[in-house]
Each structure stands twice: as structure tokens, then as C-alpha cells.
Amino acid sequence: MTWRLGDLTVHRIGFGAMRLPQRGTAFDRGAEPRDRDQAIAVLRRAVELGVDHIDTAAFYFSATRSANELINSALSPYPDDLVITTKVGPGRTPQGEWLPLATPRELRGQVEENLRQLGRDHLDVANLRVSGLDDVSEHFAALVELQRAGLVRHLGLSNVKPHHLDQAQRIGPVVCVQNSYGLGHHLEQDEFLGICAERGVAFVPFFALAGANQEAGTSAENDEVTEIARARGASSAQIRLAWTLARGPHVLVIPGTGDPEHLRQNVEAGDIRLTPEELTRLDAAHLSGG
């Protein structure tokens, strides 16, 4: 199962690096740092298992770990087929405090910081992560200029609404939209997912394993999911990922983990083909807030 991000082809199950710097999300102040060797081993194992799409950001860091630096240490020199997607817009101080959203002029510095940390001369995909902006035109235009300068290959959007996609596409190509979505989670994204399908834009859910009101990235419990998982000898997380992938061939997932066994299970979720009856049950659970 593959999809194209511009001229780049990736498997539909990728890897999210947010959880690499520490246990919990990269934003949990005071959380226990993840063992460096374990994080590097998980990244290398992901590539061994066929993962060729890694999602990261310069603002994924803890007091002692940086996701981008871990990726650089683990995987450089990078495989030719590895696509690294990052996000720009938000920023944090070295102490972890959030900064105001970057201005269009400040985006170049964020792109260059990602390049330095990753040890690359261009970013494969840079997603404009939107927070509180009604109009992204100026920000996206600034990224298009960086694309023309050769610092970025392809552009996407994150945490956006359909009108943001309209604005961006009037300025330049958009290869992906990355929003919070999963079974029973942000049902309003169903329509947006369909819009992306019509336009050939990849829809990349983050927190795909979260249930409603559980955006920590941990799996939520649901009776239908649990029953189907038990009958198949699979984990609930695998069923949730399989359902998400079944939403359309343009849907990619980027589950993150620091556990090698969970990594293997996440990748193997791509081999699960849910039956029409199972999909009907899971769709109903989704609509009920699963």
C-alpha cells in the first residue's frame, strides 16, 4: 500500500517521532526522557520493517532529547527512499515554553533549523502547522518561496480547515493535510478527508489511536474494537489503524512509539483487511464517538 507525496512514493504506514524524546508526548514538561539507545534502535528497526515516511518537527524535544537529532544519529546517511516530513509555524524556547506562531519572515529560520538538526540540504515535505490563523496565504506564500529556493521539496498543511486548503492551493501545490483524526475522534474530519480524496491530497491523521477527548496518543477502549481485535488475534491499536487506512487509499498513518514490539504491531496493521461486516460495525462505533 503506497501513496505519492508529490513525486515521492511512501508506504501508507509511517512513523511519528513525537514520542522519541521522552515517554508521553514531546510536550510533557518533566516527563521521563526515553533511553537514547532505545530510541535510536526503534528508528533503525522501523526502516528495517519498511517504514519510509517519518514525521518530525524541530519543536519535538525534551530537556535532554531532540527528535530530529535522534533521527540524524540513527539514520544518517539517509536511505534514498526515506521521506522525512516536518512541521513549521510553532516554536518553543530551549526551556520548552511555546512561542507565538512564526511570522512569514520567520519561517525561513525554522526551515533552516530543521535542516541543521537533520543534517540535510533540503526538506522532503514541510507542513505549515496552523494555530489561530484564519488566512494562511502569506505564510504559505513564504514557504513557496523557500521551495523555489531549493530548501523544501514539497509543501503540506497541518491542523487546518478546508478553507485553509483552498487558500494554499491558490498559491501552490499541497501534497498532504495532517489533522487529528481517528475512530470516534474528530468526526468533523470525515468531510475534509473526502475533500482531500477528490483533490488527490494525502490525508495524514495524527493521534489516530486516540479516542474522543484522548489526544495523548494512547489507545481508547471500545467494545466493537475490542471484540474484533480479539476475534482476529490482533491488538485494538491494529484494528484502529486498519480502520483508518480503510477510509481511503490517500490516507496515511504515522503512529509513534518507543517500544519495538508496538512498532512491529503498528507496521503489521497494514496487512489487516477488514471485512465489510467489520467495517460496518466500526463505522457505527465511529459515528457514536468510539
Side-chain angles (χ1 to χ4, degrees), residues 22-281:
Q22 61 190 34
R23 301 183 187 280
T25 73
F27 316 130
D28 295 339
R29 301 284 295 277
E32 178 186 356
R34 191 174 299 281
D35 180 79
R36 176 181 171 80
D37 290 339
Q38 181 186 13
I40 287 176
V42 166
L43 282 164
R44 290 175 175 166
R45 183 57 178 156
V47 171
E48 290 173 359
L49 291 173
V51 170
D52 55 11
H53 173 209
I54 295 177
D55 175 79
T56 186
F59 52 84
Y60 287 171
F61 65 86
S62 67
T64 57
R65 302 281 185 270
S66 159
N68 280 353
E69 185 275 327
L70 289 166
I71 292 168
N72 190 345
S73 297
L75 302 177
S76 181
Y78 297 104
D80 291 340
D81 63 347
L82 180 64
V83 174
I84 298 179
T85 299
T86 190
K87 290 170 286 297
V88 293
R92 299 168 71 199
T93 70
Q95 294 75 33
E97 300 291 342
W98 286 103
L99 296 167
L101 188 73
T103 66
R105 290 175 58 87
E106 291 170 337
L107 290 175
R108 183 184 184 102
Q110 290 194 346
V111 166
E112 291 174 344
E113 180 62 19
N114 276 280
L115 292 173
R116 281 191 292 271
Q117 292 177 5
L118 291 167
R120 307 196 77 175
D121 58 8
H122 74 275
L123 300 178
D124 295 324
V125 182
N127 288 324
L128 175 62
R129 169 88 174 172
V130 175
S131 177
L133 283 180
D134 184 60
D135 191 330
V136 302
S137 300
E138 288 189 34
H139 284 75
F140 197 78
L143 288 180
V144 168
E145 289 302 314
L146 297 178
Q147 185 181 38
R148 291 171 180 161
L151 297 183
V152 180
R153 191 163 180 173
H154 298 295
L155 299 175
L157 298 168
S158 178
N159 196 38
V160 293
K161 298 178 180 178
H163 75 274
H164 293 127
L165 178 59
D166 295 338
Q167 293 165 356
Q169 287 188 312
R170 285 195 286 267
I171 299 168
V174 176
V175 300
C176 59
V177 165
Q178 187 184 93
N179 278 5
S180 184
Y181 178 72
L183 194 153
H185 184 55
H186 284 306
L187 276 66
E188 77 280 358
Q189 295 295 314
D190 288 342
E191 182 178 358
F192 199 3
L193 186 151
I195 291 171
C196 289
E198 293 169 359
R199 301 185 188 186
V201 175
F203 188 85
V204 189
F206 57 88
F207 294 137
L209 298 182
N213 302 317
Q214 296 187 29
E215 294 202 348
T218 55
S219 293
E221 294 301 323
N222 174 272
D223 289 343
E224 293 291 350
V225 174
T226 301
E227 289 178 11
I228 291 172
R230 185 180 298 115
R232 281 182 165 268
S235 70
S236 294
Q238 286 178 311
I239 298 303
R240 287 180 177 273
L241 289 174
W243 176 87
T244 304
L245 290 169
R247 302 301 278 175
H250 67 304
V251 178
L252 315 180
V253 293
I254 47 171
T257 181
D259 184 290
E261 177 59 19
H262 290 164
L263 170 67
R264 180 190 64 78
Q265 292 177 5
N266 290 343
V267 172
E268 290 179 353
D271 296 327
I272 297 175
R273 299 294 181 269
L274 297 168
T275 67
E277 186 267 342
E278 288 171 332
L279 285 171
T280 296
R281 291 168 60 190

